[in-house]
Amino acid sequence: MKTILYEHLERPIYNSDLLDRLDPKKFITRYCLNLSPSNPGPGLKVRPLKTSDYETERFSTMELCPNSYYITVIEDTIINKVIGTGTLIVEQKFIHNCAVRGRIEDIVISDEYRGRQLGKLLIATLTLLGEELKCYKVSLECKDSMVPYYTSLGFRNEAGNSNYLQIRFPL
Ligand SMILES: CC(C)(COP(=O)(O)OP(=O)(O)OC[C@H]1O[C@@H](n2cnc3c(N)ncnc32)[C@H](O)[C@@H]1OP(=O)(O)O)[C@@H](O)C(=O)NCCC(=O)NCCS
């Protein structure tokens, strides 16, 4: 009997076909961006995080939660380096007829690549991914100073529903 070993194969954290399904026109009309996942700029590539980027036990744990972790990176393919990352987490609910909602987390662009609209490209990509995955809403938390940035990308403080409370625990 032939045993097939999959362990050596590169594994993305989600199916990259999903990115191909995003309509490039929406990046222009909704976000006034000339960039899109299929056209992020010379030498750059937008793709799911994959095992060779960050193969850890945590990666494997996330893989075991299908349709949940959409960690998306921008790679500089000239130097084979990840230069930006952002995550859409999709939560499965019982409410709203077993709906799903999205949360955007961990948006970072490397210092040398900032100011090229790559942060906006990532956030637009993750938001449209949330829409494609039929999330009824996508939310995020941010520093006060970043509110104008996210407002420019369509996120809104809702009247009577704009508090964010937390308790921190020492690790
Ligand atoms: C925030 C961050 C992702 C922006 O990435 P970027 O690719 O440089 O941003 P873009 O090129 O898409 O957008 C540039 C715009 O964002 C604004 N901006 C960038 N960082 C900002 C900050 N910390 N506070 C307020 N505005 C900011 C710029 O002033 C610029 O405004 P303009 O379009 O009016 O000129 C990047 O600065 C970063 O990685 N910061 C550290 C991590 C972080 O703070 N993440 C967000 C957590 S909520």
Side-chain angles (χ1 to χ4, degrees):
M1 196 172 75
K2 204 167 151 189
T3 308
I4 303 172
L5 287 176
Y6 290 102
E7 281 163 14
H8 66 288
L9 291 177
E10 185 100 286
R11 301 187 314 277
I13 193 97
Y14 66 91
N15 188 337
S16 63
D17 291 354
L18 260 177
L19 291 174
D20 301 333
R21 298 218 304 255
L22 304 183
D23 181 356
K25 286 199 275 316
K26 287 188 179 166
F27 289 82
I28 302 170
T29 53
R30 283 197 197 169
Y31 300 100
C32 300
L33 276 176
N34 290 321
L35 308 176
S36 67
S38 54
N39 175 30
L44 300 179
K45 184 173 182 180
V46 176
R47 59 167 174 79
L49 184 77
K50 56 187 182 184
T51 36
S52 60
D53 297 318
Y54 208 60
E55 183 151 26
T56 60
E57 201 181 324
R58 179 54 53 90
F59 190 105
S60 311
T61 313
M62 288 179 174
E63 271 185 313
L64 293 173
C65 308
N67 312 322
S68 300
Y69 292 98
Y70 295 87
I71 305 176
T72 304
V73 302
I74 304 178
E75 179 185 341
D76 184 332
T77 58
I78 314 283
I79 54 173
N80 295 322
K81 198 173 156 193
V82 168
I83 57 91
T85 183
T87 299
L88 173 74
I89 298 165
V90 174
E91 280 181 15
Q92 301 184 44
K93 302 279 193 190
F94 285 118
I95 60 167
H96 301 317
N97 291 321
C98 295
V100 288
R101 74 163 282 187
R103 295 178 191 270
I104 289 180
E105 294 270 14
D106 305 331
I107 302 288
V108 186
I109 299 292
S110 294
D111 286 351
E112 330 67 288
Y113 294 83
R114 289 187 187 169
R116 291 167 51 174
Q117 305 218 300
L118 296 175
K120 288 180 184 173
L121 171 62
L122 268 181
I123 296 154
T125 300
L126 298 172
T127 310
L128 291 171
L129 211 46
E131 185 178 47
E132 177 69 25
L133 295 166
K134 309 281 184 245
C135 291
Y136 71 95
K137 71 176 178 185
V138 171
S139 65
L140 55 82
E141 295 143 16
C142 70
K143 293 182 204 134
D144 294 349
S145 62
M146 291 297 288
V147 169
Y149 183 70
Y150 288 111
T151 306
S152 77
L153 293 164
F155 287 85
R156 294 283 175 266
N157 256 323
E158 287 178 358
N161 191 22
S162 60
N163 290 300
Y164 163 58
L165 309 179
Q166 62 189 353
I167 296 177
R168 288 185 186 267
F169 301 106
L171 288 178

